[in-house]
Amino acid sequence: MSTIELRTRPAIIAGAAIAGRKEGEGPLGAFYDAVIEDDLFGEDSWEKAESRFYLTACETCLRKAGIPSPDVLLGGDLLNQIMSASLAARSLKVPFLGLYGACSTMAESLAIGAMLVDGGHMTTALCAASSHFCSAERQYRFPLEYGSQRTPTAQWTVTGAGATCVSALQSPHTIARVTHVTVGQVVDMGISDANNMGAAMAPAAASTLTRHFTDTGRTASDYDLIITGDLGQVGHDVLLQLMAERGKPLDAAKYVDCGLLVFGPEQDVHAGGSGCGCSAITLNGYIWNQFRKGALRRVLFMATGALLSTTSSQQGETIPGVAHAVAIENDAP
Amino acid sequence: MSTIELRTRPAIIAGAAIAGRKEGEGPLGAFYDAVIEDDLFGEDSWEKAESRFYLTACETCLRKAGIPSPDVLLGGDLLNQIMSASLAARSLKVPFLGLYGACSTMAESLAIGAMLVDGGHMTTALCAASSHFCSAERQYRFPLEYGSQRTPTAQWTVTGAGATCVSALQSPHTIARVTHVTVGQVVDMGISDANNMGAAMAPAAASTLTRHFTDTGRTASDYDLIITGDLGQVGHDVLLQLMAERGKPLDAAKYVDCGLLVFGPEQDVHAGGSGCGCSAITLNGYIWNQFRKGALRRVLFMATGALLSTTSSQQGETIPGVAHAVAIENDAP
């Protein structure tokens, strides 16, 4: 049994999404707490800019929650040694548990944060993740100055950061509650193309989703929405196919991918958005908004991560994927 | 209050330490489960070799615990995108929560693992960390082929991996129990020399230790041993001084650093051992052995991490440090 039921149903009392300019121009632009026009956010490097997105999301979330300081910050980002999260944690001066789950980090941090709150170990946990198009391209692919041609399966790393406050406190702000967590296994189907992350991660998503359904006895129809993090168009379609083959089909109308929501078709991002920030800003912007409006009753948020590094790729390794799922319900009894 | 008391006192039911040749020749050589003479461990890169150390430590630990499969693997390493841990998790096929805490990872994984077991979310958590001298030098400093001169404050990254099984099960193998966790804050005192990690991390250790003592009402005399991870000689002495200045002095005879235990003075490692593997193999070799023998009653294990990356150093950033503390007691009632 790898799905954990959280008996106390920890409350999500605030979320914050800080997005870059391109993301602000996308279809979900109205749901972000702030759109930062300057990709450098006043800093002198993309990495420091990303860290400022991270810190701003954390500070905004805490302010909205009315919590001066959480018991713990859980999170990470895509940069080597999670530089964005570490530097933000240094500024926040709160206990910090650094995570690395690649693009699954928003779900990983929310999963661990909710378990620590449920277990009574933390009263309030701040869970956060970020990515930045420019820092990710430089680290994982090519310097932007090369002007490299992007392949059709390539995705566009989201510039932005999201933060969620999970708490055991009774709060008038409660948006929703975390009811279940399914921790993902690492799955590798042999994809080695770093420009086709969706296909590399979809089998991990299928693995986690299958276990979630089996463990809970639920099916796709028990959820108003199943949301993956950044599978993009390719991975989205692979996941639909894999789940159909396993006899646990998804309803294509109720399965969405943050990578397909975050940018519009006219924004020319090829297979969709990606990066830790993709699911982080979508969850903390659009999704929490839908819960607040009462438009959603029960959602499965499942962000996927591609656990590759440039070193592993250069050594001929294929791309291992992981997916963590968090079941979220509205606050109604 | 940032120290968490674990009411169920989760049991440490097994530990395993897999060490490299130089470590095997050190004073703690007899306590390792295996000493691997070949630095490449039969693989074709240092990074894959490190991952094999990781996997071997995990498999050995599970075998000793008599647990075919844990509910979760928690851990990481020093490599970009925690390549060692990710590839090992792929082979283990168990739910995986990737962590990045630099050299604090063994303590971070044990802290989170013990909380998840205490909270009833996991029955058995496998907590593991690794490092490898050759992969770390290549990634953080210079290729070995340069034959760079090492500075007097430099430390020697340990080649090895350690794994601990924490469980809610009643086990005849129980070695000790986890009673408290203090999660560290990120502290940066402005050190920017990547060859002087001990000084960069000691203030974080002082911060965590001070909070641990304040929160629990304990002093250094309540512990048979306080063990830091890899402060080395420089950081060890700085921590003694900082704690004396704060009016919470340590007893120099009962405060040890894994970096000073793991290698002998004749091994010419300058300021001592370092790396995630340093505290991981010392805890899972020597320390668990001392508990089994009844030579230790209560220990505070506090591994420190330097949250730098080559990118942050190249951008002129100083080195943020973090330290997580785990209080461990023998199994006697």
Side-chain angles (χ1 to χ4, degrees):
Chain A
M1 176 76 103
S2 49
T3 298
I4 298 126
E5 185 180 351
L6 305 184
R7 298 188 181 284
T8 68
R9 298 164 49 99
I12 288 158
I13 59 170
I18 310 296
R21 186 178 59 179
K22 188 182 181 88
E23 291 68 24
E25 291 167 352
L28 308 183
F31 302 111
Y32 304 131
D33 292 83
V35 173
I36 309 302
E37 296 291 325
D38 169 19
D39 274 354
L40 275 169
F41 210 154
E43 302 287 339
D44 58 8
S45 75
W46 306 122
E47 292 77 12
K48 290 183 193 174
E50 182 180 335
S51 187
R52 192 154 169 214
F53 274 95
Y54 200 104
L55 179 61
T56 307
C58 290
E59 288 176 339
T60 305
C61 185
L62 290 173
R63 195 171 58 243
K64 288 168 80 173
I67 302 277
S69 184
D71 295 319
V72 69
L73 167 64
L74 292 141
D77 56 83
L78 293 175
L79 296 180
N80 293 343
Q81 289 76 50
I82 56 167
M83 177 175 164
S84 299
S86 297
L87 297 185
R90 178 176 69 183
S91 297
L92 281 170
K93 296 184 172 51
V94 299
F96 173 58
L97 292 168
L99 309 180
Y100 187 78
C103 303
S104 75
T105 302
M106 190 67 230
E108 182 182 358
S109 65
L110 193 53
I112 301 179
M115 287 190 282
L116 296 183
V117 168
D118 185 58
H121 302 105
M122 304 289 173
T123 303
T124 302
L126 184 60
C127 311
S130 69
S131 56
H132 193 300
F133 175 75
C134 303
S135 62
E137 287 295 307
R138 169 149 81 179
Q139 179 178 286
Y140 285 99
R141 295 181 189 90
F142 297 102
L144 295 179
E145 291 79 358
Y146 283 16
S148 299
Q149 192 80 8
R150 305 174 71 241
T151 68
T153 56
Q155 293 173 237
W156 188 279
T157 304
V158 161
T159 298
T164 301
C165 245
V166 186
S167 183
L169 297 172
Q170 292 291 338
S171 166
H173 307 299
T174 298
I175 299 166
R177 293 182 175 276
V178 181
T179 62
H180 296 78
V181 162
T182 306
V183 178
Q185 294 185 8
V186 176
V187 176
D188 189 332
M189 298 303 279
I191 302 276
S192 60
D193 178 1
N195 284 309
N196 194 359
M197 302 286 219
M201 297 189 293
S207 157
T208 299
L209 201 46
T210 303
R211 288 188 297 118
H212 180 81
F213 287 155
T214 304
D215 290 347
T216 58
R218 292 181 178 178
T219 66
S221 63
D222 288 306
Y223 288 99
D224 296 341
L225 212 54
I226 293 173
I227 317 166
T228 49
D230 62 345
L231 291 179
Q233 193 63 57
V234 178
H236 174 272
D237 297 347
V238 174
L239 181 60
L240 278 179
Q241 187 190 329
L242 289 173
M243 294 307 292
E245 286 170 9
R246 293 176 179 208
K248 295 183 189 293
L250 303 183
D251 176 347
K254 290 179 172 183
Y255 161 48
V256 298
D257 181 71
C258 298
L260 296 174
L261 296 175
V262 73
F263 295 120
E266 75 292 354
Q267 290 184 291
D268 189 28
V269 295
H270 297 208
S274 68
C276 298
C278 180
S279 61
I281 63 172
T282 305
L283 179 74
N284 288 289
Y286 173 66
I287 300 296
W288 295 154
N289 178 275
Q290 295 297 297
F291 268 108
R292 270 197 218 92
K293 275 175 45 181
L296 291 173
R297 187 185 52 87
R298 188 190 277 170
V299 161
L300 190 68
F301 172 67
M302 179 172 61
T304 53
L307 299 172
L308 86 169
S309 79
T310 52
T311 307
S312 66
S313 292
Q314 283 160 8
Q315 294 182 3
E317 275 293 338
T318 52
I319 304 175
V322 72
H324 304 295
V326 181
I328 299 162
E329 284 187 19
N330 63 1
D331 191 34
Chain B
M1 177 76 104
S2 49
T3 299
I4 299 126
E5 185 180 352
L6 305 184
R7 299 188 181 281
T8 68
R9 298 162 50 97
I12 288 158
I13 60 169
I18 310 296
R21 185 176 61 177
K22 187 182 181 89
E23 292 68 23
E25 292 166 352
L28 307 182
F31 302 111
Y32 304 131
D33 292 83
V35 173
I36 309 303
E37 296 291 326
D38 169 19
D39 274 354
L40 275 169
F41 211 152
E43 301 288 340
D44 59 8
S45 76
W46 307 122
E47 291 77 13
K48 290 183 193 174
E50 183 180 335
S51 187
R52 193 156 167 213
F53 274 95
Y54 201 105
L55 179 62
T56 307
C58 290
E59 288 176 339
T60 306
C61 186
L62 291 173
R63 195 170 58 241
K64 289 169 79 172
I67 302 277
S69 184
D71 295 319
V72 68
L73 167 65
L74 292 141
D77 56 82
L78 293 174
L79 296 180
N80 293 343
Q81 289 76 49
I82 58 167
M83 176 176 164
S84 299
S86 298
L87 297 186
R90 178 177 68 183
S91 297
L92 281 170
K93 296 184 173 49
V94 299
F96 173 58
L97 292 167
L99 309 180
Y100 188 79
C103 302
S104 74
T105 302
M106 190 66 230
E108 182 182 359
S109 64
L110 193 53
I112 300 178
M115 288 190 282
L116 296 183
V117 168
D118 186 58
H121 303 105
M122 303 290 174
T123 303
T124 302
L126 183 61
C127 311
S130 70
S131 55
H132 194 300
F133 175 75
C134 303
S135 61
E137 286 295 308
R138 169 151 79 181
Q139 180 177 287
Y140 285 101
R141 297 181 188 90
F142 297 103
L144 295 178
E145 291 79 358
Y146 284 14
S148 298
Q149 192 79 10
R150 304 175 71 242
T151 68
T153 55
Q155 293 174 236
W156 187 279
T157 305
V158 161
T159 299
T164 301
C165 245
V166 186
S167 183
L169 297 172
Q170 291 293 336
S171 167
H173 307 299
T174 297
I175 299 166
R177 291 182 175 277
V178 181
T179 62
H180 296 78
V181 162
T182 306
V183 178
Q185 294 184 6
V186 177
V187 176
D188 189 332
M189 298 302 280
I191 303 275
S192 60
D193 178 2
N195 285 308
N196 194 1
M197 302 285 219
M201 297 189 292
S207 157
T208 299
L209 201 46
T210 303
R211 288 188 297 118
H212 180 81
F213 288 156
T214 304
D215 290 346
T216 58
R218 292 181 178 177
T219 67
S221 63
D222 288 306
Y223 288 98
D224 297 342
L225 213 53
I226 293 173
I227 317 167
T228 48
D230 62 344
L231 290 179
Q233 192 64 57
V234 178
H236 174 273
D237 297 348
V238 173
L239 181 59
L240 278 179
Q241 187 190 329
L242 289 173
M243 295 307 293
E245 286 170 10
R246 293 176 180 209
K248 296 183 188 292
L250 303 183
D251 176 348
K254 290 179 173 184
Y255 162 48
V256 297
D257 181 70
C258 298
L260 296 174
L261 296 175
V262 74
F263 294 120
E266 77 292 353
Q267 290 184 291
D268 189 27
V269 295
H270 298 206
S274 68
C276 297
C278 180
S279 61
I281 63 171
T282 305
L283 180 74
N284 288 290
Y286 173 65
I287 300 295
W288 295 154
N289 178 275
Q290 296 296 297
F291 268 108
R292 270 197 218 92
K293 275 175 46 182
L296 292 172
R297 188 185 49 89
R298 188 190 278 169
V299 160
L300 190 68
F301 172 66
M302 179 172 61
T304 53
L307 300 172
L308 85 169
S309 78
T310 52
T311 308
S312 66
S313 293
Q314 283 161 7
Q315 294 182 2
E317 274 294 335
T318 52
I319 304 175
V322 73
H324 304 296
V326 181
I328 299 160
E329 285 187 18
N330 61 4
D331 190 34

